[in-house]
């Protein structure tokens, strides 16, 4: 229920309108009075602010956002905690949730789905490098901007890697080990991202259990439905939805590398540009849902939303029913989610779609936190609402209004915290130069690649291998691969390749980057020793 009392607001900002509201609070679009910068302000509800555990997790979310210096996660401007309330002031991204796009289009083209997955995975990668697991990757928490780029949002139930914070997440996207209450790991985020990717491709979730018990068994035991996805991307589905975490990519960064290799081989070097254009076209169909459109605010909070489907015909075995029992005993499936898919088509999107998002115009000045005092916070498990499994089919299982979550006690925060934003230009990513040298053996080539880039963010490096009949001839393609490096100091990477065809005595490699380097590309070719008895 929306709090009707006079609401506390962050000093120094003028509220424009509400973007969304839910059980945990509300999100408003506001303007920073001193700079005129548009921001999104996420307020913790008065009810939750009375619980020290909720306040601690809210503060931890702000601290996490402040430490993730990546363009693929919404930026923190300031965190304000005072006797009257607590708020996170964030970058305002003029975008809409992936859930809204899927509700409109049903599903997405493979290239567009790959672009969404890559952008949000790069956001996850930054969290994983910081030792943090998101635990609630889903379409509501992926934001698509008007230009087709994507960002990951809402770290409200994030946890430190290796901790055991209990069973929490959104059931349709939870990895088997999440259902079982095992320690938080990046591999669980990879699973949830793959489940979302599958939904983008097919228009349905990987598993369509009608209640918690069925969903638990399906995620733990049912076969991976890879054949429903386009054939070229099935390896990504198969790897990302593997039942055992050790069978998946170790983290989001590793998954990005696999994604780029599959996409390049299946759709060519321009797949990302095409996919981004397709996403922008889909977003353009929903102009009224953008924060800049000024549409009325609305929000819903649903707990453990599932959708009914015709079923895959799979029936759990004896071990599956045992797995279901284990999952239910391990927490009665404790879930905190703002999944709005259960709402009627065209209905309001969940508050989480806005909770950590919204946008400043490209090139505009952006406020940056300047802490005058810092509260003590820990990235302990996020608070979770409790829901019981439904014994009969339903499209939405909601928590009882009388249910109250239980948390470990933590000290009530004493200090009043206020960070004052100061305008700073948004950093840009520029690749100044790429170089490559090649050393060959009998069939092998070792390419030493050097990349110099300024600014912040990842640089994608693409290697194309060739064979030819003369030095400098790149006539026969012999494979491609890609990897990412971070801008900043110059980076040198050695990549090895075994030439697979007898189509010329010279091995070659061509290297390009995204964004393009100042010198566009670099290439090298050398004589292969297997041809040493053949006249040159």
């Amino acid at each position: 229920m929306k709090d009707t009392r006079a609401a506390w607001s962050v000093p120094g900002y003028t509220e424009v309108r509400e973007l969304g509201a839910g059980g945990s609070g509300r999100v408003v679009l506001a303007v920073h009075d001193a700079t005129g910068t548009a921001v999104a302000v996420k307020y913790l509800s008065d009810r939750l602010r009375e619980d020290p555990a909720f306040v601690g997790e809210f503060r931890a979310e702000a601290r996490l956002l402040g430490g993730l210096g990546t363009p693929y996660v919404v930026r923190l401007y300031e965190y304000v905690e005072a006797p009257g309330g607590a708020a996170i002031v964030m970058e305002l991204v003029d975008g809409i949730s992936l859930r809204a796009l899927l509700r409109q289009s049903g599903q997405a083209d493979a290239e567009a789905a790959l672009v969404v997955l890559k952008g949000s995975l790069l956001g996850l990668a930054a969290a994983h490098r910081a030792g943090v697991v998101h635990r609630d990757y889903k379409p509501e928490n992926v934001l698509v901007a008007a230009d087709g780029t994507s960002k990951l949002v809402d770290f409200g139930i994030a946890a430190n890697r290796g901790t055991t914070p209990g069973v929490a997440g959104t059931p349709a996207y939870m990895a088997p080990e999440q259902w079982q209450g095992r320690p938080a790991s990046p591999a669980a985020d990879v699973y949830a991202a793959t489940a979302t990717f599958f939904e983008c491709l097919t228009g349905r979730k990987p598993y369509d259990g009608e209640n918690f018990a069925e969903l638990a068994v399906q995620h733990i035991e049912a076969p991976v439905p890879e054949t429903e996805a386009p054939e070229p991307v099935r390896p990504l589905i198969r790897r990302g939805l593997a039942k055992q975490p050790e069978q998946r990519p170790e983290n989001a960064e590793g998954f990005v590398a696999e994604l780029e290799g599959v996409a390049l081989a299946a759709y060519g070097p321009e797949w990302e540009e095409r996919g981004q254009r397709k996403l922008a076209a889909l977003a353009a169909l929903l102009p009224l849902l953008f924060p800049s459109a000024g549409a009325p605010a609305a929000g819903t909070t649903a707990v453990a939303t599932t959708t009914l489907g015709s079923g895959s015909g799979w029936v759990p075995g004896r071990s599956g029913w045992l797995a279901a029992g284990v999952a239910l005993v391990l927490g009665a499936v404790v879930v905190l989610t703002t999944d709005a898919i259960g709402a009627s088509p065209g209905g309001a999107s969940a508050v989480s779609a806005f909770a950590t998002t919204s946008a400043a115009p490209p090139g505009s000045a952006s406020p940056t936190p300047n802490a005058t005092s810092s509260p003590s916070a820990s990235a302990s498990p996020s608070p979770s609402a409790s829901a019981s499994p439904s014994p009969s089919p339903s499209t939405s299982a909601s928590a009882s209004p009388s249910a109250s979550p239980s948390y470990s006690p933590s000290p009530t925060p004493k200090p009043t915290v206020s960070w004052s934003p100061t305008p700073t230009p948004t950093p840009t990513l520029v690749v100044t130069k790429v170089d490559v040298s090649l050393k060959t053996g009998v069939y092998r080539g070792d390419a030493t690649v050097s990349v110099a880039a300024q600014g912040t963010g990842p640089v994608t490096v693409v290697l194309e291998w060739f064979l030819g009949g003369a030095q400098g001839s790149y006539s026969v393609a012999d494979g491609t691969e890609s990897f990412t490096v971070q801008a900043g100091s110059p980076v040198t990477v050695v990549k090895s390749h075994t030439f697979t065809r007898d189509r010329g005595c010279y091995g070659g490699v061509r290297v390009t980057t995204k964004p393009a380097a100042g010198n566009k590309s670099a290439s090298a070719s050398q004589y292969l020793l297997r041809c040493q008895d053949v006249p040159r």
Side-chain angles (χ1 to χ4, degrees), residues 62-103:
R63 173 167 289 186
L64 171 62
L65 289 177
L68 297 180
T70 171
Y72 300 100
V73 172
V74 67
R75 288 175 296 167
L76 171 75
Y77 289 157
E78 58 177 320
Y79 172 74
V80 181
E81 189 178 308
I88 298 173
V89 183
M90 300 163 290
E91 170 190 9
L92 180 73
V93 178
D94 197 26
I96 57 178
S97 72
L98 177 59
R99 171 62 67 211
L101 285 184
L102 293 179
R103 188 180 292 121

Side-chain angles (χ1 to χ4, degrees), residues 21 29 60 75 106 118 130 136 167 206 234 261 338 414 435 455 463 469 474:
L29 187 158
R75 288 175 296 167
K118 179 181 174 180
D136 200 20
V167 183
R234 289 177 190 172
T338 47
K414 300 292 184 183
D435 288 312
L463 280 72
Y474 305 98

